[in-house]
Amino acid sequence: MSSFKRDVSINLGLYSDSLGEIPQKRQSLLRTWWRLSSLQRLILLLALLFCVLTAIFVLPHMFTSDDSDQITPGLKEPLQDSLPAGQNLNQMEEIEQKQRNLDELKKQARIDQEKEKEDTVPVVPQISRPAKGGYDFFNGQTRTDRQEQVVQAFKHAWKAYKKHAWGHDELHPISKTATEWFGTGLTLVDSLDTMIIMGLREEYEEAKEWVRDKLSFTTDKFVNLFEITIRVLGSLLSSYHLSGDEIMKEKATELGQRLLPAFNSRSKVPYSDVNLAKGHARAPRWGPDSSTAEVATLQLEFRDLSAVTGDKRFEEAVDQVSMHIHSLKKDKGLVPIFINANTGTFRPSGTITLGARGDSYYEYLLKQWIQSNKQQEHFKKDFEESYQGVKSKLFRRSEPNKLLFIGELLAGRNFSPKMDHLVCFYAGTLALAHHYGLGDGDEYLGSAKELAETCWQMYNRMPTKLSPEITYFNLAKGASEDLIVKPLDSHNLLRPETVESLFYLYRFTGDEKYRDQGWQIFLAFEKHTKLKEGGYSSISNVKDAGNPRFKDKMESFFLSETLKYFYLLFSDDPKLISLDEWVLNTEGHPLPVLTES
């Protein structure tokens, strides 16, 4: 029997059954697969699965290093996984110690890397809130009798607003209706910090609930950038500082973000109007210009918002405006009342006034310097220069009693003896400047006292004991009356400016005459503007005590400013909104002096 040696193998069907015979024609892969036996197909599938698992779990480690080996160059030292033959125990321990040392180096490298990342993150300065001096804004207040009557006046106004205009912008107390201006519950929001300062917890908590659940900035309409900033943003920020309620901060932040598109002009001088819902901004419908006072009276609020949130966009937006106006040519520090948002230039031959459209530009020069903790010197210098301009170009004395007043320059050249009631803020501003060490000796304080006296006479000489909106002063020699009030200027809008200045002067001098003058003004409001059915109304004619005629409108600033300044004026507590720790915005909302903690 001939022996025959044959390789034993598993026939996978790749060749024919005849040894060494190769098929001449390649068969299709699918036909080949199905010609295999079940065992053969199983073996192939297991082999394929093994290859896939090897590719997933083994190959990556062959071509990449462990992440920890790449932390810091120079740390990696190759260590053998096993000892060479004959290695003794001491050598093993030495290698293990090296491995432990290497692990420690890698761990420290990770820590150093994380610390380096933290050091590169910019640190946002925080603010140190002014101490309340132990004063509890809701509990333990000891009110004076006059303060108590001011609180009752506020409650009377609030009751009418709540009944007839709750959640709406403005109350019309005669018709018992409400109207919208911005659609943001203007009177309610503007009054928040007044309630905190007066200790009206129940009213405040109810209003806060509305702010939390109902206050919305999504109405598709244009609003005035200046007015919504000083009234709504200012009050939300002030209420946050006074109460610590986070909802006030949240709403202020949302509003600030919705206002930023107004600054997207070519010159960075903001447009006057902005649509809160769509983020569009535009010049006012009546012309291409913004009011100088309006674009320069956003800075306190936006800087405070940056300090509260850590978001520098708000501060940077208003800083561009301030520095741009700072760089423009002025007439002894005085500015026209209109500025073009596209060109960034003042309107040629514009009127110069400390009244409407000009007033708070000068106010915020001083207050920005104070808010910065006296660090931004250019604001102080601009304020001091503007005072010299007021003194040389706008100060005049009336006949026959030589009352000091501030007139206007029409077209920037022609003097007019016209003074808005709004100008009466300047007496308090000068008193504040004196308190902070500005001026030559008592010059600022002396001017403040004289202007406050003039503003007081604008009340005291009217039959109703309430000031008209606009007063002209007699410059004619031999005239018998200092004040001239034209019929169209004889209305009173419940404005706060004179009471504001009386408050500042009483705080800094302690002279009781300022409180007595304020009390007479308060009683006049009670007599001629208070409605028995609820609320207070502007009046049409301060010269007719018998029939002043209601205008059927209660401005939000009556609760936000006028009654608040009365309350502060009649307080015996100098720590109640200390003027060394707080700066009040032009709507009477206290914001803290920004000191980095």
Side-chain angles (χ1 to χ4, degrees), residues 144-156 194 198 200 519 522 526 536 562-568 570:
T144 65
D145 291 341
R146 289 177 175 179
Q147 275 186 299
E148 189 60 48
Q149 293 195 50
V150 175
V151 169
Q152 294 306 313
F154 181 92
K155 288 183 174 182
H156 183 77
T194 301
M198 290 184 175
L200 300 176
W519 183 242
F522 175 76
E526 289 288 287
Y536 292 77
T562 308
L563 292 179
K564 181 187 295 167
Y565 281 123
F566 274 130
Y567 188 83
L568 295 173
F570 300 140

Side-chain angles (χ1 to χ4, degrees), residues 22-256:
I22 301 174
Q24 298 300 311
K25 185 177 182 180
R26 184 184 300 271
Q27 301 181 37
S28 71
L29 184 61
L30 183 60
R31 173 181 287 182
T32 301
W33 172 258
W34 288 113
R35 290 185 62 183
L36 297 177
S37 67
S38 299
L39 177 61
Q40 291 170 333
R41 289 198 297 268
L42 177 62
I43 292 172
L44 281 176
L45 288 173
L46 290 174
L48 179 62
L49 178 62
F50 175 78
C51 293
V52 171
L53 292 175
T54 301
I56 294 175
F57 294 105
V58 177
L59 291 180
H61 295 283
M62 295 174 62
F63 297 103
T64 60
S65 301
D66 182 58
D67 290 342
S68 63
D69 293 337
Q70 301 179 12
I71 294 176
T72 304
L75 286 181
K76 185 176 180 181
E77 295 181 6
L79 293 177
Q80 297 179 8
D81 294 331
S82 61
L83 291 172
Q87 184 75 24
N88 61 36
L89 185 61
N90 289 336
Q91 289 174 313
M92 292 177 60
E93 292 177 348
E94 181 180 348
I95 292 177
E96 290 175 355
Q97 183 61 44
K98 284 184 178 180
Q99 184 66 55
R100 286 194 293 269
N101 292 341
L102 181 60
D103 291 342
E104 287 297 322
L105 286 172
K106 292 176 180 178
K107 180 179 179 182
Q108 185 61 44
R110 291 190 191 96
I111 295 173
D112 292 342
Q113 230 178 19
E114 290 300 319
K115 186 176 186 303
E116 184 178 353
K117 289 180 181 179
E118 291 176 0
D119 291 341
T120 61
V121 177
V123 178
V124 179
Q126 301 298 312
I127 61 172
S128 175
R129 289 188 189 168
K132 297 177 182 177
Y135 199 99
D136 189 328
F137 288 93
F138 282 121
N139 298 310
Q141 294 195 42
T142 302
R143 300 187 184 121
T144 65
D145 291 341
R146 289 177 175 179
Q147 275 186 299
E148 189 60 48
Q149 293 195 50
V150 175
V151 169
Q152 294 306 313
F154 181 92
K155 288 183 174 182
H156 183 77
W158 186 253
K159 181 180 179 181
Y161 171 76
K162 181 179 176 181
K163 183 176 181 180
H164 303 298
W166 184 251
H168 297 285
D169 283 344
E170 293 176 326
L171 168 69
H172 297 273
I174 304 295
S175 59
K176 298 179 177 59
T177 60
T179 54
E180 303 298 347
W181 188 11
F182 303 148
T184 58
L186 185 60
T187 295
L188 184 151
V189 177
D190 211 3
S191 305
L192 289 168
D193 59 352
T194 301
M195 290 181 274
I196 297 173
I197 291 171
M198 290 184 175
L200 300 176
R201 179 184 291 275
E202 181 179 343
E203 289 83 354
Y204 170 75
E205 291 294 339
E206 189 175 23
K208 183 178 74 173
E209 182 179 346
W210 186 90
V211 169
R212 184 192 65 216
D213 299 337
K214 301 293 185 180
L215 179 57
S216 172
F217 304 119
T218 58
T219 302
D220 184 8
K221 66 184 302 183
F222 281 87
V223 301
N224 181 270
L225 172 66
F226 161 75
E227 295 288 358
I228 200 168
T229 295
I230 65 170
R231 300 192 195 208
V232 179
L233 182 59
S235 184
L236 290 170
L237 288 168
S238 178
S239 299
Y240 168 68
H241 288 299
L242 292 171
S243 69
D245 286 326
E246 286 293 324
I247 188 60
M248 303 302 172
K249 175 182 174 180
E250 292 171 14
K251 293 294 185 179
T253 304
E254 180 189 352
L255 176 57

